Amino acid sequence: MPLLRPVGIFAMKRLLTALFVSALCAACATPKKAEPTPSQAAQAAAAANDPKVQIAKQAAVNYAADATLIPFDKMSAKLSPVGEAQLDLLVAKDLKNAKSILVRGHCYRRDIGNAKAAAQTRAVSVRQYLVDAGVPPSKITMRYDTERSLHAVRLVVSN
């Protein structure tokens, strides 16, 4: 007597159906990610559009690209909120234990009539922000540059 019996078509269909149903049940058993509620989605959208979040993101991008270059608008000597946030990152990470800090204001002379005064004013505004953040004024030196096509302040930190 043979150990294996031939399987009929009806039995084969039942076996395939059972396998198919078990595969479907296994797929349904996997946990799904929780969908955010409408209020959570609205909060996330509001946070993404929050100016403070945008400023922090841009400051982090600037810091990653060149931590010591604080950008200024072409026709401005006022420190922007992004520049302030970038300086906050610098103070927290790099300037606490610095022996000396050179603050060099840049303003391209072909773009602005009194580039020297603009470069000096940019350096002064960054210096004042650093002093207000707790950096001792005796560690800070200021210079200016009007030769490079740059509208920024560069910090040179000596440890």
Side-chain angles (χ1 to χ4, degrees):
M1 186 161 137
L3 293 175
L4 295 174
R5 293 186 310 164
V7 178
I9 291 197
F10 183 71
M12 183 63 83
K13 283 183 180 179
R14 285 172 82 192
L15 179 65
L16 288 174
T17 304
L19 286 173
F20 181 70
V21 169
S22 64
L24 284 176
C25 289
C28 291
T30 57
K32 292 184 179 180
K33 291 183 180 179
E35 293 290 325
T37 63
S39 64
Q40 289 174 335
Q43 288 174 351
N49 292 332
D50 185 20
K52 291 180 181 180
V53 172
Q54 296 298 328
I55 289 169
K57 283 182 183 179
Q58 185 61 45
V61 168
N62 289 354
Y63 186 86
D66 187 352
T68 62
L69 186 69
I70 312 301
F72 277 77
D73 291 332
K74 185 182 209 178
M75 300 300 285
S76 176
K78 184 181 177 207
L79 195 56
S80 69
V82 173
E84 291 176 355
Q86 186 176 349
L87 283 172
D88 289 339
L89 290 171
L90 266 168
V91 168
K93 295 181 180 181
D94 299 331
L95 302 181
K96 289 289 185 183
N97 300 320
K99 289 182 182 176
S100 67
I101 302 166
L102 173 64
V103 177
R104 183 178 302 272
H106 292 276
C107 184
Y108 191 45
R109 63 187 172 137
R110 292 187 181 155
D111 289 343
I112 295 178
N114 196 353
K116 178 181 174 183
Q120 288 174 334
T121 305
R122 290 173 181 174
V124 166
S125 66
V126 169
R127 179 188 184 278
Q128 186 59 47
Y129 192 85
L130 293 175
V131 169
D132 291 345
V135 177
S138 60
K139 292 184 177 184
I140 302 172
T141 324
M142 291 191 312
R143 301 280 185 269
Y144 70 92
D145 182 2
T146 60
E147 297 300 317
R148 294 189 183 115
S149 180
L150 187 62
H151 295 281
V153 169
R154 166 88 57 197
L155 298 176
V156 180
V157 181
S158 299
N159 289 331

